[in-house]
Amino acid sequence: MTVKAGPPPLDGAHDAWAAALLGRPFAELDARTQRVARHVGQRRPISAQPAADAAPATRGQRAADAVAAFGGSWTFVGLFAATMLVWVALNAVLLGLHGSTFDPYPFILLNLFLSMLAAVQAPIILMSQNRQSEKDRITAAHDYEINLKAELEIMLLHDKLDQLREQQWSELLAQQAEQMRLLALLTVQSAATSPR
């Protein structure tokens, strides 16, 4: 497979090039593979910041990311544990001093607040995870393009090395033929000039 990376492959213009490297005509390739083929043909880098491909975050998405970041931190766990302890301690102190509390055992009001917190926090965290999944998909697609371009570049390098090796062999054979011709000429001259 001897393929030269020349001008940028345009739809249908370099079917042989695409068929040799990718096994299919250029027009049959998907959009990402065509993009990679163009970059290889134009000898341009394909790497870029994948976040640039993502849509800018809305205010709600940024808020969901902030809630998910805080909800998944040790600060949140510490504040949550401290709030629970203060709630229970406050009810115990009020029970001891006044004989009644604002949330008697088994802390039904606290359970209500915890349920509401979980009900609100879970969908917000899911929104943030969905957004992160979208970023991951964009990054994975970009990684695929970079890997495909690297593979194609390696194939082109192998082709160039094969061409250089064949060229060197041809030159060596030509030099050897010339040396053999000169040796035969010297042998004939030596035989003609030598005394018998």
Side-chain angles (χ1 to χ4, degrees), residues 15-168:
D15 281 342
W17 186 85
L21 288 176
L22 299 166
R24 290 187 308 211
F26 186 81
E28 292 180 12
L29 302 174
D30 61 90
R32 280 194 322 216
T33 308
Q34 286 181 350
R35 180 174 178 258
V36 171
R38 282 191 185 99
H39 278 81
V40 169
Q42 294 170 349
R43 312 294 297 161
R44 291 185 319 169
I46 198 166
S47 58
Q49 186 67 14
D53 295 342
T58 64
R59 189 180 329 186
Q61 289 171 332
R62 287 192 306 270
D65 290 344
V67 168
F70 178 70
S73 68
W74 283 108
T75 304
F76 174 76
V77 171
L79 288 173
F80 184 74
T83 302
M84 298 278 288
L85 288 174
V86 167
W87 189 281
V88 172
L90 184 60
N91 274 294
V93 168
L94 287 175
L95 182 62
L97 293 177
H98 300 291
S100 68
T101 64
F102 63 92
D103 189 16
Y105 183 81
F107 308 117
I108 295 176
L109 184 59
L110 177 63
N111 284 326
L112 175 67
F113 287 150
L114 293 176
S115 297
M116 288 185 339
L117 174 67
V120 170
Q121 190 179 25
I124 292 174
I125 291 173
L126 286 174
M127 284 187 272
S128 178
Q129 287 177 340
N130 288 341
R131 188 168 132 69
Q132 186 61 43
S133 294
E134 182 60 31
K135 287 180 186 177
D136 291 344
R137 275 191 291 277
I138 291 170
T139 301
H142 186 67
D143 289 346
Y144 166 78
E145 289 177 359
I146 289 174
N147 291 339
L148 179 60
K149 184 174 187 285
E151 184 178 354
L152 294 175
E153 291 287 352
I154 290 169
M155 290 169 68
L156 289 171
L157 284 173
H158 280 288
D159 287 343
K160 287 179 183 178
L161 287 175
D162 290 343
Q163 288 173 358
L164 286 173
R165 187 174 60 232
E166 288 174 17
Q167 181 182 354
Q168 285 177 341

